[in-house]
Amino acid sequence: MTGRLRHKTALVTGAASGIGRQSAIRMAEEGALVCITDIDDEGLAGTLALMAGRGFSLHHDVTQEESWRAAIAMALERFGKLQILVNCAGIGVRNDNIAALEEEGWDRLMAVNLHGTFMGCQQAIACMRQAGGGSLINISSVLGLRGSADALSYCASKGAVRLLTKSIAVHCGRQGYNIRCNAICPGYIATPLGLSVRESLGDEEFQRLVDKHVVGRMGVADDVAGMVVYLASDESSFVTGAEMVVDGGYTAG
Ligand code: NAP
């Protein structure tokens, strides 16, 4: 632990698994107190066990406004302030192409990936103002930068998260809130969600995607967690409204 987040408090959604789990662990290692939330209670317990007692877990569905209120109220009660929010909860849906996707799938995905992120930012800003400032970190994707025939609603949600992020950053800056808001655009990361792409595309097509990462491998959750820690820390005090691409060169070529 080097204490880059000493005296800071955070809430991480989607923390039962993958990028959210690793981000919470890394933030706790850097000295933050972290409220970890998810709909997967068993996964949350697994994450908490790796955080050396530096936080607590909470069942929280990011699609529900009331659930957001309760999560933020609990973080405030336990920590006294909230300075960092990492909006990591996210899903994909089956048949995600313009010919096959049904409205129910579109709505379900948007509710988690986009509406959940919007509600989290809106509610966290009020608390962060009381704390004198903060850092909002939204997880977009390289599929928020590029289109994909097989990820219609996913691309639409992640592109929207990117511009939601910039719009929030400008608003907070103009209002003098001392709140930064940034997006991270990961490439393909070996998590349950990232690896589910192999099932839908098949081995050969999936390997073609992996080969597009010029570093020669898929990412791991820790690759993204390092960027989360940077954006959460005061080292990034001049960074807001940015889209931090962490993709092993996927979009470089
Ligand atoms: P993951 O391992 O599947 O973790 C996502 C977590 O979010 C899961 O624990 C999931 O629970 C939870 N979740 C789903 N719906 C929720 C809801 N309504 N409320 C609260 N939590 C909910 O996925 P990941 O790969 O770490 O993804 C994290 C973020 O990175 C997502 O926003 C994703 O879109 C983005 N991302 C991932 C990749 C990649 O290749 N992995 C690339 C770019 C961006 P359940 O398991 O119960 O659904």
Side-chain angles (χ1 to χ4, degrees), residues 110 114 140 144 154-166:
M110 288 296 168
L114 181 55
S140 174
Y154 190 83
C155 288
S157 73
K158 295 299 184 179
V161 163
R162 220 164 38 81
L163 288 178
L164 173 89
T165 299
K166 289 178 190 292

Side-chain angles (χ1 to χ4, degrees), residues 5-19:
L5 301 178
R6 202 178 313 133
H7 307 308
K8 293 204 187 283
T9 60
L11 191 156
V12 182
T13 72
S17 175
I19 295 169

Side-chain angles (χ1 to χ4, degrees), residues 5 13 30 41 52-53 62 73 79 81 97 108 116 155 159 163 179 194 197 209:
L5 301 178
T13 72
E30 292 293 345
D41 297 325
V62 299
F79 299 152
K81 62 183 178 179
N97 65 73
R108 187 156 42 89
C155 288
L163 288 178
I179 296 172
V197 177
L209 276 183

Side-chain angles (χ1 to χ4, degrees), residues 13-21 37-40 60-64 87-92 111-113 139-143 154 158 184-195 197 218 221 224:
T13 72
S17 175
I19 295 169
R21 166 179 281 191
T37 81
D38 204 295
I39 51 173
D40 171 2
H60 168 212
D61 181 344
V62 299
T63 67
Q64 303 300 314
N87 277 309
C88 209
I91 60 168
V112 180
N113 293 9
I139 309 298
S140 174
S141 170
V142 289
L143 293 179
Y154 190 83
K158 295 299 184 179
I184 301 178
C185 300
Y188 285 82
I189 308 296
T191 67
L193 180 63
L195 294 169
V197 177
M218 276 184 98
V224 184

Side-chain angles (χ1 to χ4, degrees), residues 16-244:
S17 175
I19 295 169
R21 166 179 281 191
Q22 192 58 23
S23 298
I25 293 168
R26 286 283 301 274
M27 290 169 82
E29 282 173 0
E30 292 293 345
L33 290 172
V34 189
C35 168
I36 55 169
T37 81
D38 204 295
I39 51 173
D40 171 2
D41 297 325
E42 209 180 308
L44 276 180
T47 305
L48 196 60
L50 298 168
M51 285 171 50
R54 298 201 60 78
F56 69 98
S57 66
L58 202 62
H59 186 94
H60 168 212
D61 181 344
V62 299
T63 67
Q64 303 300 314
E65 192 170 5
E66 244 343 282
S67 186
W68 266 114
R69 272 191 220 294
I72 288 186
M74 186 59 81
L76 278 182
E77 189 182 314
R78 295 284 290 266
F79 299 152
K81 62 183 178 179
L82 180 65
Q83 297 155 302
I84 301 159
L85 172 66
V86 186
N87 277 309
C88 209
I91 60 168
V93 286
R94 288 189 183 281
N95 302 318
D96 198 8
N97 65 73
I98 190 62
L101 185 64
E102 292 181 0
E103 200 176 344
E104 181 276 329
W106 171 274
D107 288 345
R108 187 156 42 89
L109 184 140
M110 288 296 168
V112 180
N113 293 9
L114 181 55
H115 195 208
T117 301
F118 154 70
M119 285 193 287
C121 289
Q122 192 170 60
Q123 294 199 26
I125 283 170
C127 305
M128 289 178 177
R129 288 179 66 189
Q130 286 168 21
S135 175
L136 300 162
I137 302 165
N138 297 329
I139 309 298
S140 174
S141 170
V142 289
L143 293 179
L145 295 161
R146 299 272 169 92
S148 164
D150 303 304
L152 173 84
S153 62
Y154 190 83
C155 288
S157 73
K158 295 299 184 179
V161 163
R162 220 164 38 81
L163 288 178
L164 173 89
T165 299
K166 289 178 190 292
S167 303
I168 292 170
V170 174
H171 175 83
C172 290
R174 281 200 187 142
Q175 299 297 320
Y177 290 167
N178 191 31
I179 296 172
R180 299 179 293 109
C181 184
N182 291 290
I184 301 178
C185 300
Y188 285 82
I189 308 296
T191 67
L193 180 63
L195 294 169
S196 70
V197 177
R198 184 196 290 264
E199 268 170 54
S200 48
L201 292 184
D203 286 349
E204 218 170 288
E205 184 62 20
F206 184 72
Q207 190 54 46
R208 267 199 286 276
L209 276 183
V210 173
D211 291 343
K212 283 191 188 169
H213 298 76
V214 300
V215 298
R217 63 169 176 88
M218 276 184 98
V220 293
D222 204 49
D223 293 322
V224 184
M227 181 58 77
V228 169
V229 168
Y230 169 70
L231 290 175
S233 78
D234 295 336
E235 294 155 30
S236 57
S237 61
F238 198 55
V239 182
T240 193
E243 47 200 46
M244 310 300 274

